[in-house]
Amino acid sequence: MGFFSSLSHFSFDVGIMSWDVLLTLSNFVRRKHPIGDVTPEGHPGYGGHWPEFRPPQETDSRCSCPAFNAMANHGIISRSGHGISFVELNDHLRATYNFSPSFCSFALHFLARMLKKDYNKDTFDLKEIDLHNGIEHDASLLRLDSAFQPDQSIKHIPFIEELLATATGKDKNGNHIITTKDISRLLGKRRAVSRAVNKDFSLKLFHKIFGSAKYDVTLFISKHTSKRSVSASTLVTIFGGRVDDLRSFLLDERIPEGWESRIRQPYGTTIINFNKTTLATEFGVHEKYWAQVAREAAESHGTTPSLG
């Protein structure tokens, strides 16, 4: 049964990647969505009008992913974060952020496998996503390691403020932009420090790549309220991000009013497009640059630093 299950998963993944290649090529020849018309009509957020934001209640389920949490906080998916359908989440994830259907299908099928659930029939709670070393991992840019904060839905505000303050780029309108180099630099620091202070630290290659990808996902989500600002922002790669918009998105997990995905390709950002700069981000990570910072952190925690 295990063999046939693995074979089925392999065949599915090959099919998804073939589909993704076709969508990537189609994005080159099809006209982009007009500015202001990226979110599909009939979907929450159409015309920049998002459903009411409500902070989560104590009994609500949340996770370490700002994109999922924001959808719950706006009622795009279950506000409680409980009983979420993989199939429905696929549709909402694509429409809200303009990911390609191949990207959404691959990501959510992977999630279903990780949780040992049936993609077509089962539901899940957001907090289930944070199975340690499943998708959730150490050395996050937004959360403390689970060894220090088991509830990964809890944001670590100093980390987020540092991320927002690290922006070195600007668009033509003078808006501060976080670049992929900024992300690489801060990931290097976070990994070096986490490795030094967390005796249970672990970070496999998969999680390194996923970590680079996860923040890139977050950072391409940037609000634009005029054609002029959109035109300027197209000069920034899809992994850039406007600090003024990200402040709301990362600190409050709230979608700013008037926002729409800056990805205007008709089939959204595909796995291929996404991975091109994800790998570039990962290759730019250098823990060794933060050796002294890691030693100082280890001394304050009474641990022995080691750099990977």
Side-chain angles (χ1 to χ4, degrees), residues 218-256:
T218 300
L219 292 172
F220 81 72
I221 301 169
S222 138
K223 168 189 171 190
H224 305 291
T225 55
S226 70
K227 290 188 177 182
R228 181 179 180 187
S229 65
V230 172
S231 297
S233 295
T234 56
L235 300 178
V236 183
T237 67
I238 65 170
F239 296 95
R242 276 181 48 175
V243 171
D244 54 350
D245 302 320
L246 291 169
R247 185 171 297 278
S248 169
F249 189 77
L250 296 179
L251 288 173
D252 300 327
E253 296 180 334
R254 177 176 190 162
I255 301 174

Side-chain angles (χ1 to χ4, degrees), residues 166-285:
T166 199
T168 61
K170 284 189 177 182
D171 64 18
K172 286 188 175 180
N173 295 317
N175 297 303
H176 291 281
I177 297 291
I178 298 175
T179 68
T180 52
K181 289 184 179 180
D182 298 331
I183 297 297
S184 295
R185 182 173 179 274
L186 200 53
L187 276 173
K189 177 182 179 182
R190 195 69 68 236
R191 291 177 188 177
V193 171
S194 290
R195 193 184 300 276
V197 303
N198 182 1
K199 63 182 179 59
D200 297 320
F201 178 85
S202 65
L203 193 68
K204 298 178 181 178
L205 177 62
F206 165 78
H207 295 113
K208 288 183 177 182
I209 299 299
F210 188 84
S212 295
K214 181 167 62 175
Y215 304 116
D216 291 337
V217 170
T218 300
L219 292 172
F220 81 72
I221 301 169
S222 138
K223 168 189 171 190
H224 305 291
T225 55
S226 70
K227 290 188 177 182
R228 181 179 180 187
S229 65
V230 172
S231 297
S233 295
T234 56
L235 300 178
V236 183
T237 67
I238 65 170
F239 296 95
R242 276 181 48 175
V243 171
D244 54 350
D245 302 320
L246 291 169
R247 185 171 297 278
S248 169
F249 189 77
L250 296 179
L251 288 173
D252 300 327
E253 296 180 334
R254 177 176 190 162
I255 301 174
E257 185 66 15
W259 175 86
E260 69 174 6
S261 173
R262 66 184 302 184
I263 306 303
R264 293 174 49 215
Q265 283 84 355
Y267 294 111
T269 190
T270 62
I271 299 170
I272 291 173
N273 288 334
F274 188 68
N275 282 340
K276 285 192 299 185
T277 41
T278 296
L279 292 174
T281 300
E282 179 57 34
F283 290 147
V285 175

